[in-house]
Amino acid sequence: MDDFRPVDPERIRALVAELAASPLALTPILSPAELGRLSADFHDYSPVLEQLLKGRCAQVAVKVDRLEQVMAVAGACARHRVPLTLRGAGTGNYGQCVPLAGGMVLDLSGLNKLRAVDPLSGIVEAEPGCTLAHLDGQLAVYGRALRLAPSTYRSATLGGFFAGGSGGLGSLRWGFLRDPGHLLGLEVVTLEPEPRLLRLDAAASAPLNHAYGTNGIITALRLASTEAVAWQQLVVGFSHWEAALQVSRELPTTALLLNALCLLEAPVAERMPWPAGCPAADPGEHRLLLHAAPDTLELLPGWLAARGGQL
């Protein structure tokens, strides 16, 4: 890590001058406080990464909201040989958007439009800066929803999720982001003196899936959606761990429509902060958390009770 050194200030000044003179309303950010904010994510959860990445900071940043601006920044960075680090909402935990050698941070959160929804197939095209929750709200108008929702659903961006995420609520049904059928295509800007705009199909997009934006600047994504379902959150208590474990194995093999399943052993369940309306776990009570479709609720309580579970 000590081999990474900031870019020669002369190259940074030349880059800043070019961007400031652009007719595309590109405003270089040079404030130390703002650069510090845009150069950080949640890697400080890890004392190892906190030490390794300490002091790593961009020398300039810029925020964009149009494709033309992205291409201008990409070309300028390539011509001035300034490393470029991409950023969405910065919700990652592993330092993905921390610039190791100074240079430029490109904030893509302003590139946040839903471009299209196919009413027959449900295929969606959206820009990378869309937050997942906001995008889901827009899809609800069409009776559609995102297939997967991570724990950072309310704050993470679509581009960041595909570039650095893996799964979440919905993975019980749909698997993980890198499984075939989720990412159906990408629009990508190359980092070259004269950037190219590429439209990639599903197969060509695969190398950019979960690559942290290191091999192309994603400016739009085509992805599959699913039918919108009013999922019900259920908490099932078990007095015997073996029974809880058996039910968690059996449920995904049934025809009951489930979106998520999480099994908590009693010592964990007893320490969880349960939401209003849900009583705390009793001593020794194991808990199974489910997302179930409303039409499964008629059968699910009886099915669980026969196996030692209590809603």
Side-chain angles (χ1 to χ4, degrees):
M1 297 288 289
D2 291 336
D3 293 334
F4 291 99
R5 301 179 185 278
V7 177
D8 182 343
E10 286 299 323
R11 300 214 307 265
I12 296 294
R13 279 193 282 270
L15 173 65
V16 167
E18 179 175 333
L19 295 179
S22 169
L24 295 173
L26 290 166
T27 304
I29 296 169
L30 297 169
S31 158
E34 187 68 355
L35 288 177
R37 186 186 71 80
L38 292 173
S39 299
D41 59 11
F42 290 92
H43 70 273
D44 55 0
Y45 284 144
S46 164
V48 174
L49 289 176
E50 172 68 4
Q51 185 62 36
L52 286 173
L53 299 177
K54 187 175 182 179
R56 304 291 173 177
C57 188
Q59 293 161 279
V60 61
V62 69
K63 298 181 179 182
V64 295
D65 57 21
R66 286 177 287 155
L67 175 60
E68 296 82 4
Q69 294 174 318
V70 176
M71 297 189 73
V73 170
C77 285
R79 289 190 295 274
H80 294 284
R81 294 180 295 118
V82 172
L84 180 62
T85 301
L86 306 179
R87 177 186 178 86
T91 60
N93 296 336
Y94 308 109
Q96 297 102 312
C97 63
V98 176
L100 298 181
M104 162 79 77
V105 162
L106 177 60
D107 185 335
L108 293 161
S109 59
L111 208 64
N112 55 18
K113 297 180 179 62
L114 171 60
R115 292 188 180 179
V117 180
D118 187 308
L120 296 178
S121 66
I123 293 175
V124 175
E125 181 166 327
E127 294 177 341
C130 293
T131 60
L132 299 176
H134 183 62
L135 179 56
D136 234 2
Q138 294 180 75
L139 294 181
V141 176
Y142 301 90
R144 308 299 297 178
L146 296 172
R147 287 181 171 183
L148 304 176
S151 59
T152 50
Y153 170 78
R154 292 179 178 83
S155 54
T157 59
L158 181 66
F161 187 35
F162 273 88
S166 59
L169 293 177
S171 287
L172 185 69
R173 298 178 69 198
W174 300 109
F176 294 93
L177 284 175
R178 282 172 286 181
D179 290 331
H182 287 302
L183 183 60
L184 304 179
L186 290 173
E187 179 184 89
V188 180
V189 172
T190 63
L191 192 62
E192 301 175 283
E194 296 298 330
R196 291 171 291 156
L197 182 65
L198 308 179
R199 295 281 296 189
L200 308 179
D201 62 14
S205 297
L208 288 86
N209 195 344
H210 204 78
Y212 307 105
T214 58
N215 51 4
I217 305 172
I218 297 171
T219 53
L221 304 92
R222 294 181 72 246
L223 58 146
S225 66
T226 185
E227 75 286 357
V229 176
W231 297 107
Q232 306 296 303
Q233 300 182 58
L234 305 178
V235 178
V236 188
F238 291 86
S239 56
H240 299 288
W241 175 249
E242 292 76 12
L245 192 59
Q246 184 60 32
V247 165
S248 69
R249 289 170 174 163
E250 285 185 32
L251 268 174
T253 69
T254 70
L256 299 170
L257 185 56
L258 301 174
N259 196 47
L261 179 156
C262 178
L263 182 59
L264 303 178
E265 202 168 359
V268 177
E270 291 170 22
R271 289 167 174 78
M272 287 289 288
W274 298 96
C278 180
D282 292 329
E285 180 187 2
H286 312 289
R287 284 192 160 179
L288 180 62
L289 314 183
L290 300 173
H291 260 199
D295 57 7
T296 67
L297 298 184
E298 185 175 342
L299 294 173
L300 194 54
W303 189 93
L304 291 167
R307 291 157 176 79
Q310 181 64 48
L311 279 171

